[in-house]
Amino acid sequence: MRSTETKRWILENVKTLAVVGLSSKKQRPGYTVPAYMREAGYRVIPVNPNLQEALGEKAYPNLSSVPAPVDLVLIFRRPEHVPSIVEQAIAIGAEVVWMQFGIVNEEAAAQAREAGLEVVMDSCIMVDHRRLLGER
């Protein structure tokens, strides 16, 4: 768990979020959370090999295929998938890896930190955004 100050800094400074595991099912957090972040003013890039587009953006099969710079990688995948996502996040030059509520992978977090990325685990970015910056 990262400090409140770190989370606030992240939310105030990142602009582009690549959401790995963004869902097409509107009732799932993997859809509602990215939709909220988009409404809050962030660019949300879907990363899901099963989607063509979501939330008005073209979807990409993996982080490596995203052509735009990515500030934060938001992860909606099970913990066993996190290491390969972190490797891709490092490779594309992301600044932050954020694992949604219920997702923890200490080894991948350590790898990301060693590469200079900020890491947040087991925390809902939407809940933190509402709490720290207010609903927008």
Side-chain angles (χ1 to χ4, degrees):
M1 184 74 153
R2 298 301 290 185
S3 72
T4 298
E5 297 77 27
T6 300
K7 287 180 180 178
R8 182 186 310 277
W9 183 91
I10 290 167
L11 292 168
E12 288 176 343
N13 289 282
V14 302
K15 305 280 186 260
T16 303
L17 286 58
V19 183
V20 180
L22 191 144
S23 177
S24 61
K25 296 181 175 133
K26 294 184 178 179
Q27 70 276 18
R28 288 195 174 173
Y31 181 89
T32 58
V33 171
Y36 169 87
M37 296 306 288
R38 184 172 178 266
E39 288 296 314
Y42 299 88
R43 180 178 181 198
V44 174
I45 300 172
V47 178
N48 183 329
N50 301 312
L51 297 177
Q52 295 300 312
E53 99 45 67
L55 299 173
E57 290 270 353
K58 177 179 175 11
Y60 297 91
N62 52 52
L63 287 172
S64 304
S65 62
V66 175
V70 171
D71 301 320
L72 182 148
V73 174
L74 180 58
I75 303 174
F76 281 93
R77 297 291 316 274
R78 290 192 310 266
E80 63 266 24
H81 299 290
V82 171
S84 65
I85 296 166
V86 165
E87 287 174 12
Q88 290 179 53
I90 293 166
I92 67 167
E95 299 171 29
V96 181
V97 171
W98 191 302
M99 299 175 220
Q100 270 298 116
F101 184 71
I103 304 169
V104 175
N105 188 308
E106 295 290 351
E107 289 176 21
Q111 181 183 4
R113 288 187 188 107
E114 285 172 23
L117 282 70
E118 287 289 343
V119 177
V120 178
M121 287 191 291
D122 194 21
S123 188
C124 179
I125 197 169
M126 179 177 76
V127 170
D128 285 330
H129 185 273
R130 284 180 173 157
R131 180 174 58 88
L132 299 171
L133 302 183
E135 205 160 336
R136 300 197 171 173

mmCIF file of all heavy atoms in Angstrom, residues 24-52:
data_model
loop_
_atom_site.group_PDB
_atom_site.id
_atom_site.type_symbol
_atom_site.label_atom_id
_atom_site.label_comp_id
_atom_site.label_asym_id
_atom_site.label_seq_id
_atom_site.Cartn_x
_atom_site.Cartn_y
_atom_site.Cartn_z
ATOM 1 N N SER A 24 -15.476 -5.514 -21.449
ATOM 2 C CA SER A 24 -16.582 -5.001 -22.257
ATOM 3 C C SER A 24 -17.900 -5.106 -21.494
ATOM 4 O O SER A 24 -18.919 -4.578 -21.935
ATOM 5 C CB SER A 24 -16.679 -5.778 -23.568
ATOM 6 O OG SER A 24 -16.938 -7.141 -23.300
ATOM 7 N N LYS A 25 -17.894 -5.770 -20.346
ATOM 8 C CA LYS A 25 -19.106 -5.962 -19.545
ATOM 9 C C LYS A 25 -19.284 -4.778 -18.605
ATOM 10 O O LYS A 25 -18.508 -4.588 -17.669
ATOM 11 C CB LYS A 25 -19.027 -7.284 -18.788
ATOM 12 C CG LYS A 25 -18.996 -8.457 -19.739
ATOM 13 C CD LYS A 25 -18.950 -9.775 -19.022
ATOM 14 C CE LYS A 25 -19.045 -10.877 -20.062
ATOM 15 N NZ LYS A 25 -18.072 -11.910 -19.878
ATOM 16 N N LYS A 26 -20.308 -3.982 -18.872
ATOM 17 C CA LYS A 26 -20.478 -2.702 -18.192
ATOM 18 C C LYS A 26 -20.743 -2.798 -16.694
ATOM 19 O O LYS A 26 -20.607 -1.817 -15.987
ATOM 20 C CB LYS A 26 -21.580 -1.898 -18.872
ATOM 21 C CG LYS A 26 -21.184 -1.496 -20.273
ATOM 22 C CD LYS A 26 -22.211 -0.620 -20.930
ATOM 23 C CE LYS A 26 -21.692 -0.229 -22.305
ATOM 24 N NZ LYS A 26 -22.614 0.597 -23.033
ATOM 25 N N GLN A 27 -21.100 -3.980 -16.200
ATOM 26 C CA GLN A 27 -21.350 -4.131 -14.771
ATOM 27 C C GLN A 27 -20.083 -4.484 -13.988
ATOM 28 O O GLN A 27 -20.081 -4.469 -12.776
ATOM 29 C CB GLN A 27 -22.444 -5.184 -14.521
ATOM 30 C CG GLN A 27 -22.032 -6.613 -14.820
ATOM 31 C CD GLN A 27 -22.158 -7.019 -16.282
ATOM 32 O OE1 GLN A 27 -22.240 -6.189 -17.183
ATOM 33 N NE2 GLN A 27 -22.148 -8.322 -16.536
ATOM 34 N N ARG A 28 -19.005 -4.778 -14.686
ATOM 35 C CA ARG A 28 -17.762 -5.186 -14.017
ATOM 36 C C ARG A 28 -16.890 -3.980 -13.661
ATOM 37 O O ARG A 28 -16.854 -2.996 -14.403
ATOM 38 C CB ARG A 28 -16.963 -6.112 -14.923
ATOM 39 C CG ARG A 28 -17.586 -7.477 -15.035
ATOM 40 C CD ARG A 28 -16.599 -8.435 -15.628
ATOM 41 N NE ARG A 28 -17.144 -9.776 -15.594
ATOM 42 C CZ ARG A 28 -16.575 -10.799 -16.166
ATOM 43 N NH1 ARG A 28 -15.443 -10.657 -16.828
ATOM 44 N NH2 ARG A 28 -17.114 -11.984 -16.084
ATOM 45 N N PRO A 29 -16.130 -4.090 -12.556
ATOM 46 C CA PRO A 29 -15.194 -3.020 -12.215
ATOM 47 C C PRO A 29 -14.185 -2.744 -13.330
ATOM 48 O O PRO A 29 -13.754 -1.602 -13.503
ATOM 49 C CB PRO A 29 -14.487 -3.535 -10.961
ATOM 50 C CG PRO A 29 -15.453 -4.489 -10.345
ATOM 51 C CD PRO A 29 -16.174 -5.132 -11.515
ATOM 52 N N GLY A 30 -13.849 -3.773 -14.107
ATOM 53 C CA GLY A 30 -12.917 -3.605 -15.220
ATOM 54 C C GLY A 30 -13.459 -2.709 -16.323
ATOM 55 O O GLY A 30 -12.729 -2.335 -17.236
ATOM 56 N N TYR A 31 -14.737 -2.352 -16.238
ATOM 57 C CA TYR A 31 -15.335 -1.374 -17.149
ATOM 58 C C TYR A 31 -15.685 -0.091 -16.390
ATOM 59 O O TYR A 31 -15.363 1.007 -16.836
ATOM 60 C CB TYR A 31 -16.597 -1.937 -17.805
ATOM 61 C CG TYR A 31 -17.225 -0.943 -18.763
ATOM 62 C CD1 TYR A 31 -16.840 -0.909 -20.097
ATOM 63 C CD2 TYR A 31 -18.176 -0.022 -18.323
ATOM 64 C CE1 TYR A 31 -17.392 0.017 -20.975
ATOM 65 C CE2 TYR A 31 -18.731 0.899 -19.189
ATOM 66 C CZ TYR A 31 -18.334 0.917 -20.518
ATOM 67 O OH TYR A 31 -18.875 1.839 -21.377
ATOM 68 N N THR A 32 -16.359 -0.225 -15.243
ATOM 69 C CA THR A 32 -16.846 0.961 -14.534
ATOM 70 C C THR A 32 -15.713 1.846 -14.028
ATOM 71 O O THR A 32 -15.821 3.074 -14.080
ATOM 72 C CB THR A 32 -17.773 0.585 -13.361
ATOM 73 O OG1 THR A 32 -17.074 -0.276 -12.450
ATOM 74 C CG2 THR A 32 -19.032 -0.126 -13.852
ATOM 75 N N VAL A 33 -14.635 1.246 -13.547
ATOM 76 C CA VAL A 33 -13.511 2.041 -13.032
ATOM 77 C C VAL A 33 -12.828 2.822 -14.162
ATOM 78 O O VAL A 33 -12.649 4.039 -14.045
ATOM 79 C CB VAL A 33 -12.521 1.158 -12.242
ATOM 80 C CG1 VAL A 33 -11.261 1.929 -11.900
ATOM 81 C CG2 VAL A 33 -13.192 0.624 -10.979
ATOM 82 N N PRO A 34 -12.452 2.181 -15.285
ATOM 83 C CA PRO A 34 -11.871 2.958 -16.387
ATOM 84 C C PRO A 34 -12.836 4.018 -16.929
ATOM 85 O O PRO A 34 -12.411 5.120 -17.295
ATOM 86 C CB PRO A 34 -11.545 1.909 -17.453
ATOM 87 C CG PRO A 34 -11.442 0.628 -16.719
ATOM 88 C CD PRO A 34 -12.383 0.737 -15.556
ATOM 89 N N ALA A 35 -14.138 3.706 -16.976
ATOM 90 C CA ALA A 35 -15.118 4.688 -17.451
ATOM 91 C C ALA A 35 -15.124 5.901 -16.525
ATOM 92 O O ALA A 35 -15.167 7.049 -16.985
ATOM 93 C CB ALA A 35 -16.506 4.059 -17.537
ATOM 94 N N TYR A 36 -15.080 5.675 -15.229
ATOM 95 C CA TYR A 36 -15.008 6.775 -14.271
ATOM 96 C C TYR A 36 -13.740 7.605 -14.498
ATOM 97 O O TYR A 36 -13.799 8.838 -14.516
ATOM 98 C CB TYR A 36 -15.028 6.241 -12.825
ATOM 99 C CG TYR A 36 -14.684 7.304 -11.819
ATOM 100 C CD1 TYR A 36 -15.669 8.140 -11.295
ATOM 101 C CD2 TYR A 36 -13.363 7.508 -11.412
ATOM 102 C CE1 TYR A 36 -15.344 9.135 -10.397
ATOM 103 C CE2 TYR A 36 -13.036 8.509 -10.516
ATOM 104 C CZ TYR A 36 -14.026 9.323 -10.006
ATOM 105 O OH TYR A 36 -13.703 10.324 -9.122
ATOM 106 N N MET A 37 -12.605 6.933 -14.667
ATOM 107 C CA MET A 37 -11.345 7.658 -14.851
ATOM 108 C C MET A 37 -11.385 8.487 -16.130
ATOM 109 O O MET A 37 -10.864 9.601 -16.168
ATOM 110 C CB MET A 37 -10.161 6.687 -14.851
ATOM 111 C CG MET A 37 -9.956 5.954 -13.528
ATOM 112 S SD MET A 37 -9.800 7.033 -12.084
ATOM 113 C CE MET A 37 -8.168 7.733 -12.377
ATOM 114 N N ARG A 38 -12.008 7.969 -17.164
ATOM 115 C CA ARG A 38 -12.159 8.730 -18.415
ATOM 116 C C ARG A 38 -13.002 9.974 -18.173
ATOM 117 O O ARG A 38 -12.661 11.069 -18.612
ATOM 118 C CB ARG A 38 -12.784 7.849 -19.489
ATOM 119 C CG ARG A 38 -12.889 8.535 -20.832
ATOM 120 C CD ARG A 38 -13.335 7.529 -21.902
ATOM 121 N NE ARG A 38 -13.487 8.182 -23.168
ATOM 122 C CZ ARG A 38 -14.644 8.669 -23.617
ATOM 123 N NH1 ARG A 38 -15.740 8.550 -22.898
ATOM 124 N NH2 ARG A 38 -14.701 9.261 -24.787
ATOM 125 N N GLU A 39 -14.101 9.810 -17.448
ATOM 126 C CA GLU A 39 -14.966 10.950 -17.120
ATOM 127 C C GLU A 39 -14.228 11.971 -16.252
ATOM 128 O O GLU A 39 -14.527 13.169 -16.308
ATOM 129 C CB GLU A 39 -16.238 10.477 -16.407
ATOM 130 C CG GLU A 39 -17.203 9.768 -17.307
ATOM 131 C CD GLU A 39 -17.757 10.657 -18.408
ATOM 132 O OE1 GLU A 39 -18.148 11.807 -18.114
ATOM 133 O OE2 GLU A 39 -17.788 10.217 -19.571
ATOM 134 N N ALA A 40 -13.269 11.508 -15.465
ATOM 135 C CA ALA A 40 -12.489 12.398 -14.599
ATOM 136 C C ALA A 40 -11.401 13.145 -15.366
ATOM 137 O O ALA A 40 -10.667 13.945 -14.793
ATOM 138 C CB ALA A 40 -11.876 11.599 -13.445
ATOM 139 N N GLY A 41 -11.277 12.855 -16.674
ATOM 140 C CA GLY A 41 -10.359 13.624 -17.501
ATOM 141 C C GLY A 41 -9.099 12.921 -17.955
ATOM 142 O O GLY A 41 -8.254 13.518 -18.622
ATOM 143 N N TYR A 42 -8.949 11.646 -17.630
ATOM 144 C CA TYR A 42 -7.770 10.889 -18.051
ATOM 145 C C TYR A 42 -8.028 10.260 -19.421
ATOM 146 O O TYR A 42 -9.155 9.905 -19.751
ATOM 147 C CB TYR A 42 -7.453 9.773 -17.052
ATOM 148 C CG TYR A 42 -7.137 10.286 -15.672
ATOM 149 C CD1 TYR A 42 -8.141 10.509 -14.740
ATOM 150 C CD2 TYR A 42 -5.821 10.541 -15.291
ATOM 151 C CE1 TYR A 42 -7.858 10.978 -13.471
ATOM 152 C CE2 TYR A 42 -5.517 11.006 -14.018
ATOM 153 C CZ TYR A 42 -6.557 11.225 -13.117
ATOM 154 O OH TYR A 42 -6.271 11.697 -11.860
ATOM 155 N N ARG A 43 -6.981 10.103 -20.203
ATOM 156 C CA ARG A 43 -7.098 9.303 -21.415
ATOM 157 C C ARG A 43 -6.966 7.845 -21.000
ATOM 158 O O ARG A 43 -6.006 7.477 -20.307
ATOM 159 C CB ARG A 43 -6.005 9.651 -22.425
ATOM 160 C CG ARG A 43 -6.151 8.811 -23.689
ATOM 161 C CD ARG A 43 -5.149 9.123 -24.749
ATOM 162 N NE ARG A 43 -5.396 8.286 -25.916
ATOM 163 C CZ ARG A 43 -4.512 8.083 -26.862
ATOM 164 N NH1 ARG A 43 -3.327 8.693 -26.825
ATOM 165 N NH2 ARG A 43 -4.799 7.291 -27.881
ATOM 166 N N VAL A 44 -7.908 7.034 -21.405
ATOM 167 C CA VAL A 44 -7.930 5.620 -21.045
ATOM 168 C C VAL A 44 -7.745 4.799 -22.320
ATOM 169 O O VAL A 44 -8.565 4.870 -23.231
ATOM 170 C CB VAL A 44 -9.245 5.249 -20.339
ATOM 171 C CG1 VAL A 44 -9.333 3.747 -20.107
ATOM 172 C CG2 VAL A 44 -9.367 6.005 -19.021
ATOM 173 N N ILE A 45 -6.662 4.032 -22.372
ATOM 174 C CA ILE A 45 -6.367 3.176 -23.516
ATOM 175 C C ILE A 45 -6.646 1.728 -23.120
ATOM 176 O O ILE A 45 -5.995 1.201 -22.219
ATOM 177 C CB ILE A 45 -4.905 3.336 -23.970
ATOM 178 C CG1 ILE A 45 -4.631 4.793 -24.367
ATOM 179 C CG2 ILE A 45 -4.587 2.378 -25.122
ATOM 180 C CD1 ILE A 45 -3.164 5.091 -24.645
ATOM 181 N N PRO A 46 -7.614 1.077 -23.766
ATOM 182 C CA PRO A 46 -7.923 -0.317 -23.438
ATOM 183 C C PRO A 46 -6.831 -1.267 -23.945
ATOM 184 O O PRO A 46 -6.366 -1.139 -25.073
ATOM 185 C CB PRO A 46 -9.228 -0.588 -24.185
ATOM 186 C CG PRO A 46 -9.692 0.718 -24.735
ATOM 187 C CD PRO A 46 -8.516 1.629 -24.771
ATOM 188 N N VAL A 47 -6.451 -2.188 -23.085
ATOM 189 C CA VAL A 47 -5.508 -3.244 -23.470
ATOM 190 C C VAL A 47 -6.184 -4.579 -23.167
ATOM 191 O O VAL A 47 -6.291 -4.987 -22.010
ATOM 192 C CB VAL A 47 -4.164 -3.110 -22.724
ATOM 193 C CG1 VAL A 47 -3.217 -4.244 -23.116
ATOM 194 C CG2 VAL A 47 -3.531 -1.747 -22.995
ATOM 195 N N ASN A 48 -6.691 -5.196 -24.236
ATOM 196 C CA ASN A 48 -7.396 -6.464 -24.116
ATOM 197 C C ASN A 48 -7.447 -7.079 -25.516
ATOM 198 O O ASN A 48 -8.037 -6.488 -26.421
ATOM 199 C CB ASN A 48 -8.818 -6.234 -23.572
ATOM 200 C CG ASN A 48 -9.580 -7.514 -23.367
ATOM 201 O OD1 ASN A 48 -9.390 -8.497 -24.079
ATOM 202 N ND2 ASN A 48 -10.488 -7.507 -22.394
ATOM 203 N N PRO A 49 -6.844 -8.240 -25.716
ATOM 204 C CA PRO A 49 -6.798 -8.844 -27.049
ATOM 205 C C PRO A 49 -8.171 -9.245 -27.588
ATOM 206 O O PRO A 49 -8.313 -9.511 -28.777
ATOM 207 C CB PRO A 49 -5.900 -10.068 -26.867
ATOM 208 C CG PRO A 49 -5.941 -10.374 -25.418
ATOM 209 C CD PRO A 49 -6.169 -9.064 -24.714
ATOM 210 N N ASN A 50 -9.185 -9.248 -26.722
ATOM 211 C CA ASN A 50 -10.527 -9.640 -27.152
ATOM 212 C C ASN A 50 -11.410 -8.465 -27.545
ATOM 213 O O ASN A 50 -12.565 -8.658 -27.903
ATOM 214 C CB ASN A 50 -11.215 -10.443 -26.040
ATOM 215 C CG ASN A 50 -10.432 -11.685 -25.688
ATOM 216 O OD1 ASN A 50 -10.016 -12.431 -26.571
ATOM 217 N ND2 ASN A 50 -10.192 -11.899 -24.409
ATOM 218 N N LEU A 51 -10.882 -7.250 -27.465
ATOM 219 C CA LEU A 51 -11.665 -6.060 -27.801
ATOM 220 C C LEU A 51 -11.075 -5.344 -29.014
ATOM 221 O O LEU A 51 -9.860 -5.327 -29.193
ATOM 222 C CB LEU A 51 -11.691 -5.075 -26.627
ATOM 223 C CG LEU A 51 -12.344 -5.535 -25.331
ATOM 224 C CD1 LEU A 51 -12.213 -4.446 -24.272
ATOM 225 C CD2 LEU A 51 -13.804 -5.891 -25.553
ATOM 226 N N GLN A 52 -11.936 -4.728 -29.794
ATOM 227 C CA GLN A 52 -11.505 -3.864 -30.896
ATOM 228 C C GLN A 52 -11.429 -2.419 -30.434
ATOM 229 O O GLN A 52 -10.546 -1.676 -30.841
ATOM 230 C CB GLN A 52 -12.482 -3.976 -32.082
ATOM 231 C CG GLN A 52 -12.504 -5.348 -32.719
ATOM 232 C CD GLN A 52 -11.150 -5.755 -33.253
ATOM 233 O OE1 GLN A 52 -10.494 -5.003 -33.948
ATOM 234 N NE2 GLN A 52 -10.712 -6.961 -32.896
#
